[in-house]
Amino acid sequence: MSVSARKVLTGEVLNLTRAASVQFMRPISVRVIRVLDWPTYDGWLWIDAYELGPSGDATARRSLFVMTAGLIWKDPPALTPAAPRTARRPVARMPLRVG
């Protein structure tokens, strides 16, 4: 799968450089909040994202206009399906004696 064909999903971490837009003179890392459904040029999109600091903590919330072909994913795409969730069992509740 080519990089430009990959869809941007909520929660993904992206590294943004000048390849994504000229606004990124200094590369930044962001965690995607959502992809906005705003009209754009072909091959571009708007995202809401948290800019990440060196420790990985969110430092600012930003709306960014980026070229999809220039996006760099921090994590490779998942090649295997996620493990199925385990069934939750109800906890036996007993009356609580007070005092």
Side-chain angles (χ1 to χ4, degrees):
M1 170 182 283
S2 71
V3 173
S4 60
R6 185 172 171 187
K7 291 230 180 241
V8 178
L9 302 174
T10 299
E12 290 186 313
V13 176
L14 303 172
N15 290 326
L16 302 177
T17 64
R18 286 185 60 97
S21 176
V22 295
Q23 66 185 310
F24 304 114
M25 295 282 295
R26 175 187 57 87
I28 65 170
S29 291
V30 298
R31 180 173 306 279
V32 177
I33 299 169
R34 67 177 168 246
V35 176
L36 299 168
D37 190 21
W38 294 352
T40 65
Y41 297 102
D42 189 36
W44 291 78
L45 59 95
W46 281 96
I47 59 172
D48 267 346
Y50 290 116
E51 184 174 350
L52 303 176
S55 63
D57 294 331
T59 58
R61 184 173 176 165
R62 299 179 64 178
S63 293
L64 303 166
F65 188 55
V66 295
M67 185 184 320
T68 55
L71 299 178
I72 302 167
W73 277 261
K74 188 143 185 151
D75 299 321
L79 299 177
T80 58
R85 290 186 154 188
T86 57
R88 297 183 72 185
R89 290 176 284 175
V91 176
R93 305 248 181 230
M94 305 285 290
L96 180 64
R97 236 177 69 196
V98 179

